Amino acid sequence: MQETRQNKVARLLQKELSLIFQSQTRMMHGVMVSVTRAKVSPDLSVCTAYLSVFPSEKAEEILENVNANQKTIRYELGTRIRNQVRIIPELRFFVDDSLDYIDHIDELLKK
């Protein structure tokens, strides 16, 4: 069970990461990346972020690009939240495919 401090830091990281991705994906027309969930380890040193990519066909390509630029994303995150947390957490990114799963279930129910 996550504690209050973990939840606050997770919400802060989710908000700031979504703003970073929003500014970065403006240059890529037709692609939208949002952070659906962020989880923080109990010692606040590791953040696991789940990304939702639209269109979902480009999800793997975007995830590879994000993982390749992980250090720059962490640096930009650090410049934004350096006064609020002591340690800038290590970032781990995963694709959140829950919307695709919901669409698949809807199609199966319609049949």
Side-chain angles (χ1 to χ4, degrees), residues 47-73:
C47 173
T48 305
Y50 294 91
L51 305 177
S52 177
V53 180
F54 181 79
S56 59
E57 294 82 34
K58 295 187 177 185
E60 292 302 319
E61 176 188 342
I62 296 292
L63 185 64
E64 288 175 10
N65 192 3
V66 165
N67 284 328
N69 295 316
Q70 196 168 8
K71 288 183 181 180
T72 36
I73 295 170

Side-chain angles (χ1 to χ4, degrees), residues 16 18 24 26 38 41 44 51 58-59 63 79 83 105:
E16 293 299 332
S18 65
Q24 295 296 323
R26 277 196 187 130
S41 65
L44 306 177
L51 305 177
K58 295 187 177 185
L63 185 64
T79 59
N83 295 328
I105 296 294

Side-chain angles (χ1 to χ4, degrees), residues 64-93:
E64 288 175 10
N65 192 3
V66 165
N67 284 328
N69 295 316
Q70 196 168 8
K71 288 183 181 180
T72 36
I73 295 170
R74 185 176 181 201
Y75 175 77
E76 189 169 343
L77 179 68
T79 59
R80 290 171 176 252
I81 66 168
R82 67 175 174 247
N83 295 328
Q84 293 150 350
V85 293
R86 185 173 293 171
I87 299 171
I88 307 303
E90 175 189 333
L91 300 173
R92 295 183 183 156
F93 296 104

